[in-house]
Amino acid sequence: MSLRHAVLGLLAESPASGYDLMKLFNASLASVWPATQSQVYGELGKLTTAGLVEVAAHGPRGRKEYAITEDGLTELRHWLTDIEPSGPQRHDGLLRVFFLGIVTPLEAQTYLLHQAERAARARAELEHLDETAEWDEEMISVYGRIALEYGLRISAMQEEWARWAADEVTSAKARKASELARGQHKGQGPHAEGGAGEGE
Protein backbone atom coordinates (compact mmCIF):
# COMPACT_ATOMS: atom_id res chain seq x y z
CA MET A 1 0.00 0.00 0.00
CA SER A 2 1.23 3.48 -0.76
CA LEU A 3 0.47 6.80 0.83
CA ARG A 4 -0.66 7.97 -2.60
CA HIS A 5 -3.49 5.47 -2.69
CA ALA A 6 -4.40 6.06 0.94
CA VAL A 7 -4.92 9.76 0.19
CA LEU A 8 -6.85 8.97 -2.99
CA GLY A 9 -9.03 6.55 -1.07
CA LEU A 10 -9.93 9.11 1.56
CA LEU A 11 -10.67 11.76 -1.04
CA ALA A 12 -12.82 9.29 -2.98
CA GLU A 13 -15.33 9.50 -0.14
CA SER A 14 -15.42 13.29 0.10
CA PRO A 15 -13.28 16.38 -0.57
CA ALA A 16 -11.02 17.37 2.31
CA SER A 17 -8.30 19.78 3.32
CA GLY A 18 -4.87 18.61 4.38
CA TYR A 19 -5.91 19.15 8.00
CA ASP A 20 -9.07 17.08 7.47
CA LEU A 21 -7.03 14.31 5.89
CA MET A 22 -4.72 14.16 8.90
CA LYS A 23 -7.72 13.81 11.21
CA LEU A 24 -9.06 11.01 9.03
CA PHE A 25 -5.68 9.28 8.97
CA ASN A 26 -5.40 9.38 12.73
CA ALA A 27 -8.96 8.18 13.21
CA SER A 28 -8.98 5.39 10.66
CA LEU A 29 -5.74 4.49 8.87
CA ALA A 30 -3.03 5.15 11.46
CA SER A 31 -2.83 1.52 12.61
CA VAL A 32 -2.56 0.28 9.02
CA TRP A 33 -0.59 2.98 7.22
CA PRO A 34 0.58 5.82 9.49
CA ALA A 35 1.63 9.12 7.97
CA THR A 36 2.98 12.41 9.21
CA GLN A 37 1.54 15.80 8.36
CA SER A 38 4.47 16.66 6.11
CA GLN A 39 4.05 13.38 4.23
CA VAL A 40 0.34 13.95 3.64
CA TYR A 41 0.81 17.54 2.47
CA GLY A 42 3.71 16.47 0.28
CA GLU A 43 1.62 13.73 -1.29
CA LEU A 44 -1.24 16.16 -1.94
CA GLY A 45 1.18 18.35 -3.88
CA LYS A 46 2.40 15.41 -5.96
CA LEU A 47 -1.15 14.20 -6.65
CA THR A 48 -2.21 17.69 -7.72
CA THR A 49 0.75 17.97 -10.09
CA ALA A 50 -0.10 14.55 -11.53
CA GLY A 51 -3.72 15.59 -12.08
CA LEU A 52 -5.09 12.91 -9.76
CA VAL A 53 -6.55 15.45 -7.33
CA GLU A 54 -7.48 19.10 -7.70
CA VAL A 55 -8.11 22.06 -5.46
CA ALA A 56 -11.91 22.22 -5.32
CA ALA A 57 -12.29 25.18 -2.98
CA HIS A 58 -10.33 27.87 -1.15
CA GLY A 59 -11.08 28.88 2.42
CA PRO A 60 -9.85 31.42 4.98
CA ARG A 61 -6.15 31.61 5.90
CA GLY A 62 -5.09 29.84 2.71
CA ARG A 63 -7.13 26.69 3.41
CA LYS A 64 -7.44 24.44 0.37
CA GLU A 65 -9.98 21.68 -0.09
CA TYR A 66 -8.90 18.87 -2.35
CA ALA A 67 -11.08 16.56 -4.45
CA ILE A 68 -10.23 13.45 -6.42
CA THR A 69 -10.38 13.76 -10.22
CA GLU A 70 -11.60 11.20 -12.75
CA ASP A 71 -7.99 10.26 -13.41
CA GLY A 72 -7.53 9.84 -9.67
CA LEU A 73 -10.53 7.51 -9.47
CA THR A 74 -9.19 5.51 -12.40
CA GLU A 75 -5.82 5.16 -10.65
CA LEU A 76 -7.49 4.14 -7.38
CA ARG A 77 -9.67 1.52 -9.10
CA HIS A 78 -6.62 0.19 -10.96
CA TRP A 79 -4.72 -0.17 -7.68
CA LEU A 80 -7.68 -1.85 -5.96
CA THR A 81 -8.41 -4.40 -8.68
CA ASP A 82 -5.25 -4.94 -10.73
CA ILE A 83 -2.29 -4.56 -8.37
CA GLU A 84 -1.44 -7.52 -6.16
CA PRO A 85 -0.91 -6.50 -2.50
CA SER A 86 2.71 -6.84 -1.46
CA GLY A 87 1.97 -7.93 2.11
CA PRO A 88 4.53 -8.10 4.92
CA GLN A 89 7.80 -9.50 3.56
CA ARG A 90 9.80 -9.13 6.77
CA HIS A 91 8.87 -9.86 10.36
CA ASP A 92 11.62 -9.05 12.84
CA GLY A 93 9.84 -10.72 15.76
CA LEU A 94 9.22 -13.98 13.91
CA LEU A 95 12.76 -14.05 12.49
CA ARG A 96 14.08 -14.18 16.05
CA VAL A 97 12.04 -17.32 16.77
CA PHE A 98 14.23 -19.30 14.38
CA PHE A 99 17.24 -18.62 16.60
CA LEU A 100 15.78 -18.88 20.11
CA GLY A 101 17.81 -22.04 20.65
CA ILE A 102 20.85 -19.81 21.17
CA VAL A 103 19.41 -18.59 24.48
CA THR A 104 18.16 -20.65 27.41
CA PRO A 105 14.66 -22.18 27.35
CA LEU A 106 13.65 -19.77 30.11
CA GLU A 107 14.81 -16.78 28.07
CA ALA A 108 13.06 -18.13 24.96
CA GLN A 109 9.86 -18.65 26.92
CA THR A 110 10.09 -15.16 28.43
CA TYR A 111 10.50 -13.65 24.96
CA LEU A 112 7.44 -15.46 23.63
CA LEU A 113 5.28 -14.61 26.62
CA HIS A 114 6.24 -10.98 26.10
CA GLN A 115 5.00 -11.26 22.52
CA ALA A 116 1.76 -12.74 23.83
CA GLU A 117 1.31 -9.80 26.17
CA ARG A 118 1.98 -7.34 23.36
CA ALA A 119 -0.68 -9.01 21.22
CA ALA A 120 -3.13 -8.94 24.13
CA ARG A 121 -2.52 -5.20 24.64
CA ALA A 122 -2.97 -4.56 20.92
CA ARG A 123 -6.27 -6.44 20.95
CA ALA A 124 -7.45 -4.50 24.02
CA GLU A 125 -6.71 -1.22 22.23
CA LEU A 126 -8.63 -2.35 19.17
CA GLU A 127 -11.55 -3.49 21.31
CA HIS A 128 -11.60 -0.07 22.97
CA LEU A 129 -11.61 1.58 19.54
CA ASP A 130 -14.43 -0.70 18.43
CA GLU A 131 -16.50 0.23 21.47
CA THR A 132 -15.87 3.98 21.38
CA ALA A 133 -15.75 4.78 17.64
CA GLU A 134 -18.79 6.40 16.10
CA TRP A 135 -19.45 3.90 13.32
CA ASP A 136 -21.76 5.35 10.68
CA GLU A 137 -22.82 4.41 7.15
CA GLU A 138 -20.02 6.20 5.30
CA MET A 139 -17.50 4.17 3.32
CA ILE A 140 -14.47 4.67 5.58
CA SER A 141 -16.54 3.75 8.63
CA VAL A 142 -18.20 0.64 7.17
CA TYR A 143 -15.06 -0.76 5.58
CA GLY A 144 -12.89 0.51 8.41
CA ARG A 145 -14.89 -1.69 10.78
CA ILE A 146 -14.18 -4.65 8.48
CA ALA A 147 -10.45 -3.83 8.61
CA LEU A 148 -10.63 -3.50 12.39
CA GLU A 149 -12.02 -7.02 12.60
CA TYR A 150 -8.86 -8.24 10.86
CA GLY A 151 -6.78 -6.65 13.60
CA LEU A 152 -8.94 -8.19 16.31
CA ARG A 153 -8.64 -11.67 14.84
CA ILE A 154 -4.92 -11.40 14.04
CA SER A 155 -4.03 -10.15 17.52
CA ALA A 156 -6.06 -12.97 19.09
CA MET A 157 -4.26 -15.51 16.90
CA GLN A 158 -0.86 -13.97 17.69
CA GLU A 159 -1.47 -14.21 21.42
CA GLU A 160 -2.69 -17.80 21.16
CA TRP A 161 0.32 -18.80 19.01
CA ALA A 162 2.85 -17.07 21.30
CA ARG A 163 1.49 -18.84 24.41
CA TRP A 164 1.55 -22.16 22.56
CA ALA A 165 5.12 -21.47 21.39
CA ALA A 166 6.16 -20.56 24.94
CA ASP A 167 5.19 -24.09 25.99
CA GLU A 168 6.85 -25.64 22.94
CA VAL A 169 10.30 -24.16 23.68
CA THR A 170 10.36 -26.03 26.99
CA SER A 171 9.60 -29.40 25.35
CA ALA A 172 12.23 -32.14 25.37
CA LYS A 173 12.83 -31.78 21.62
CA ALA A 174 13.31 -28.01 21.82
CA ARG A 175 15.58 -28.35 24.87
CA LYS A 176 17.77 -30.83 23.06
CA ALA A 177 18.07 -28.60 19.98
CA SER A 178 18.90 -25.66 22.24
CA GLU A 179 21.54 -27.63 24.10
CA LEU A 180 23.17 -28.67 20.83
CA ALA A 181 23.20 -25.09 19.53
CA ARG A 182 24.58 -23.61 22.74
CA GLY A 183 27.03 -26.48 23.15
CA GLN A 184 28.79 -25.42 19.96
CA HIS A 185 29.59 -22.09 21.60
CA LYS A 186 30.42 -23.30 25.08
CA GLY A 187 32.66 -20.84 26.86
CA GLN A 188 31.52 -17.90 24.73
CA GLY A 189 29.17 -15.16 25.92
CA PRO A 190 27.29 -14.52 29.16
CA HIS A 191 25.09 -17.62 28.86
CA ALA A 192 27.92 -20.08 28.59
CA GLU A 193 28.88 -22.60 31.26
CA GLY A 194 26.83 -22.04 34.41
CA GLY A 195 24.51 -19.46 32.84
CA ALA A 196 23.52 -21.82 30.05
CA GLY A 197 21.72 -24.14 32.41
CA GLU A 198 19.43 -21.48 33.81
CA GLY A 199 15.82 -22.39 33.37
CA GLU A 200 16.60 -25.96 32.28
Side-chain angles (χ1 to χ4, degrees):
M1 180 178 177
S2 70
L3 179 58
R4 161 173 289 215
H5 296 101
V7 172
L8 288 174
L10 291 175
L11 291 177
E13 182 163 31
S14 64
S17 67
Y19 175 77
D20 295 331
L21 283 173
M22 280 310 306
K23 287 179 64 178
L24 284 169
F25 259 98
N26 292 332
S28 58
L29 304 184
S31 61
V32 177
W33 197 262
T36 64
Q37 181 174 320
S38 62
Q39 288 174 325
V40 169
Y41 278 87
E43 196 60 50
L44 280 171
K46 294 175 185 177
L47 290 169
T48 303
T49 300
L52 300 181
V53 306
E54 62 186 3
V55 178
H58 292 271
R61 296 182 297 279
R63 182 182 186 274
K64 295 179 182 179
E65 189 172 79
Y66 296 86
I68 193 169
T69 64
E70 283 300 319
D71 285 344
L73 279 171
T74 298
E75 169 61 24
L76 182 60
R77 292 190 181 105
H78 169 67
W79 174 71
L80 286 167
T81 60
D82 300 328
I83 305 300
E84 187 70 21
S86 59
Q89 299 297 317
R90 295 173 178 169
H91 192 308
D92 178 64
L94 198 54
L95 176 63
R96 299 178 191 212
V97 174
F98 283 89
F99 311 115
L100 285 179
I102 297 298
V103 299
T104 67
L106 177 60
E107 288 171 319
Q109 187 176 56
T110 299
Y111 168 79
L112 290 162
L113 289 176
H114 177 65
Q115 300 310 304
E117 291 167 3
R118 286 184 60 187
R121 287 195 301 271
R123 180 173 174 80
E125 292 174 1
L126 291 173
E127 287 174 340
H128 176 71
L129 176 59
D130 191 19
E131 294 167 0
T132 58
E134 296 181 3
W135 303 109
D136 54 35
E137 297 180 356
E138 294 184 351
M139 179 188 72
I140 295 300
S141 186
V142 173
Y143 289 91
R145 178 59 188 78
I146 293 174
L148 178 67
E149 184 64 26
Y150 172 87
L152 288 169
R153 297 189 186 199
I154 285 293
S155 56
M157 180 278 294
Q158 289 173 332
E159 180 184 4
E160 179 185 5
W161 170 83
R163 295 194 185 283
W164 168 83
D167 288 335
E168 283 294 301
V169 296
T170 63
S171 69
K173 188 174 184 179
R175 284 175 179 272
K176 183 176 181 180
S178 181
E179 288 169 3
L180 288 172
R182 286 182 288 118
Q184 295 181 41
H185 305 284
K186 194 172 184 180
Q188 301 177 27
H191 304 296
E193 301 298 342
E198 182 182 350
E200 297 185 313

